[in-house]
Structures are given as C-alpha cells and as structure tokens.
Amino acid sequence: WSTGTYGSKRNILVLWDHGGESADKICFDENFDYDSLDRSELADAFKDAKLPFTFDILVFDACFMSTLENAALASDYARYMVASQEVVPSGGIDYGALAKDFTTHENKDLGVSICDSYLKKCQEKGKADTAELSLLDLSKTKDMTQAVNDLSKQLIATQGGKGGTFKLANATKYSAIYGAKNISSLYDLQGFVDAAALFDDEPDTQRVTEKFGEFVIHKVVGNKTQSAGVSLYYPFNYDRQEFQDYTKTCPMESYAELLKSRYDNLPAQMISFDDKGSITEGGDFKVALSEKSGQ
C-alpha cells in the first residue's frame, strides 16, 4: 500500500518493537494476545508483497536482532541491515537523525549515521550500558554463511568423540552471550570463532574471520557490552520445539547438522526436581528428582 500510494526513489523499512531472546520473533502485538512475527512469517510477508524494489536499508529497532539467520532472510530484500545483538534501551534509534540524513547520505553512510546517532542518544540519556548497533553489508551474507557452514563441517568431524558437546558449549560460553541474566540462546559469532581453538583441534577459523570483516562494516558499542557485530543461535536453554523449528529453517545446513548431532537425542523432559532440597539428620544434602526427569 505505501509503495503504491507514496512511491519513493529510496526505501527504508524499520521494524520496531520487542525482539525475542532467540531472535526468531519480533513485533509482539498487544491487540492479538502478543502474537509475534517469527522468521518464517516475516519471510512470507516479504515474498507475498512482491515489491518492485530492494530496500536500501532494513532496520531492526528491537532487541537481539543482529543475527546471521536474520541477515540471511533480509539479504534477498535489502542491501544493508542495521540491528543490535543486545538489549535495545527504551527509545530505540534516533529517528530525528534518520529523517535528517535520509536525503543527503548514501546508503552506507546513512547506515553509519543510524548507528552513531543511536549510541550518542543512548549516552546522552544515560542508557549506554547495553547499547550496541551493527551495520551489515548484505551482499556479503552468502560468503559469511558459507564460511560458517564450512567451519561447522570441520567441527562435526573433530567433535565426534566423547565430550564433543562439552567442547562446543564451552566455546560458545567463552564468547559474549546475550539476554537478561545470560539466558538467551544467542552468542557472539566472532567470539565463538576466537574461542573454538581453545576447545578443539585447531579448526581453520581464518576464512570466517576474513568474511566477518567484510560483512560487518560498522558497529558501535556501549559501556558494558562485548560485541563483534553478529550473533548466532545456540541452545543454551534447551527447548525441543524451538530447537526443531530452528534446525528446519537454519540457512546453514552443516551448522544445523552440528547442533543436531549434539542435541537431537536429548529427552523431551530435562532434569527437574520435586523439592528444593533439605538437610538430613546426618548433615547430608538431599534433593528428589521428579519422575519425568530424563524422559
């Protein structure tokens, strides 16, 4: 509708609202029981719109949206993407600066301006602790996903033995993890690559690092965040349905296989407890597992 009614030589799409902690949901609608758009619905919306142009920039003004998975979706419909790996403080990006620079800046420079003005706004309002924003060149997305896919093949081959899950989990935990109290399922991709060699037999991470530098072309970070610019999903808090949904739509086949090789055989019900524990007369600590644990 807006394309037909208010045509423009340049087009930016801003998706504003909350983002889910696994970055697969955005725009929770309070008018419809807080239903949200997941990645497949967003992809269908882009496809069904049949727009006669490619967006110059796609902006996610929402928490946790700077992921490789979201970039893979956006790369068919936009040239650049602006998003945050972190919690986005209330107020979001600086729309005044965006409106001011829209007609005077080229796409890349406008993306840089969105990032820089956002950080400045957060600093001025004392909300810069988690402020982080990245500008991604979506023309480099396929190279980036292929590099991660190739690295995943190496990790599948080298982590086939006992302890593979432990090594993989440690490499992710040595990178930055996002979400309130670190309960999300997102880790910093470059941080993981840097840590992978600590827990594996020297995987070849150079190509991922090279492509990462071409993919993330600008980023700003606040006072207390550790971000390289792009996150990737990893099930720190295992949810079977979420995990299965992710592996079905993951844009990196080998990465999905890597995760499935580690987590496909986990029980539907993880360990849970019937009580909070107690001290016995002999001074021992006792806790009871529920009957459903491990099923």
Side-chain angles (χ1 to χ4, degrees), residues 8-196:
S8 175
K9 292 181 179 179
R10 302 183 66 198
N11 297 276
I12 293 177
L13 176 65
V14 180
L15 293 174
W16 171 90
D17 192 44
H18 294 295
E21 286 189 337
S22 58
D24 61 343
K25 293 178 174 63
I26 189 173
C27 299
F28 294 78
D29 194 335
E30 63 270 27
N31 293 315
F32 295 93
D33 297 323
Y34 291 90
D35 184 41
S36 61
L37 292 171
D38 62 31
R39 251 193 306 272
S40 62
E41 290 174 317
L42 191 56
D44 288 343
F46 279 124
K47 183 178 179 180
D48 293 345
K50 299 178 181 178
L51 297 173
F53 59 81
T54 298
F55 286 106
D56 295 293
I57 304 176
L58 172 60
V59 181
F60 287 100
D61 191 3
C63 302
F64 312 122
M65 291 293 113
S66 186
T67 68
L68 188 52
E69 296 90 342
N70 284 337
L73 183 159
S75 63
D76 289 332
Y77 306 101
R79 295 182 176 88
Y80 294 93
M81 175 175 138
V82 173
S84 176
Q85 291 179 267
E86 267 284 9
V87 173
V88 175
S90 59
I93 66 172
D94 188 337
Y95 288 93
L98 171 58
K100 177 177 176 292
D101 294 338
F102 178 69
T103 59
T104 59
H105 287 50
E106 295 297 325
N107 293 333
K108 180 179 177 180
D109 293 335
L110 180 58
V112 170
S113 173
I114 294 172
C115 294
D116 293 349
S117 61
Y118 165 73
L119 181 60
K120 181 180 178 181
K121 175 184 176 181
C122 291
Q123 291 170 334
E124 290 174 347
K125 292 184 176 295
K127 298 181 178 181
D129 283 355
T130 62
E132 187 276 346
L133 210 59
S134 305
L135 173 62
L136 311 180
D137 182 348
L138 295 179
S139 69
K140 306 295 184 182
T141 305
K142 288 184 179 180
D143 290 341
M144 188 73 248
T145 55
Q146 186 60 54
V148 172
N149 213 45
D150 291 343
L151 176 61
S152 299
K153 291 178 182 179
Q154 295 180 42
L155 294 175
I156 290 172
T158 60
Q159 295 196 35
K162 186 177 180 181
T165 304
F166 175 79
K167 291 191 291 184
L168 181 62
N170 268 305
T172 53
K173 289 180 180 179
Y174 264 69
S175 68
I177 306 170
Y178 304 101
K181 299 181 181 179
N182 287 351
I183 60 170
S184 79
S185 296
L186 299 169
Y187 65 86
D188 184 81
L189 176 55
Q190 185 59 55
F192 167 74
V193 170
D194 293 340

Side-chain angles (χ1 to χ4, degrees), residues 175-247:
S175 68
I177 306 170
Y178 304 101
K181 299 181 181 179
N182 287 351
I183 60 170
S184 79
S185 296
L186 299 169
Y187 65 86
D188 184 81
L189 176 55
Q190 185 59 55
F192 167 74
V193 170
D194 293 340
L198 299 175
F199 300 96
D200 217 301
D201 300 323
E202 298 185 4
D204 182 11
T205 61
Q206 183 177 354
R207 186 164 179 267
V208 175
T209 300
E210 289 175 354
K211 296 303 177 184
F212 197 92
E214 300 171 0
F215 183 52
V216 181
I217 55 178
H218 186 69
K219 66 183 177 69
V220 295
V221 294
N223 302 332
K224 296 183 179 180
T225 187
Q226 301 175 16
S227 303
V230 176
S231 301
L232 194 60
Y233 171 86
Y234 182 85
F236 293 112
N237 300 283
Y238 180 78
D239 178 287
R240 172 174 282 189
Q241 188 60 55
E242 177 187 274
F243 180 80
Q244 291 178 343
D245 290 344
Y246 174 81
T247 53

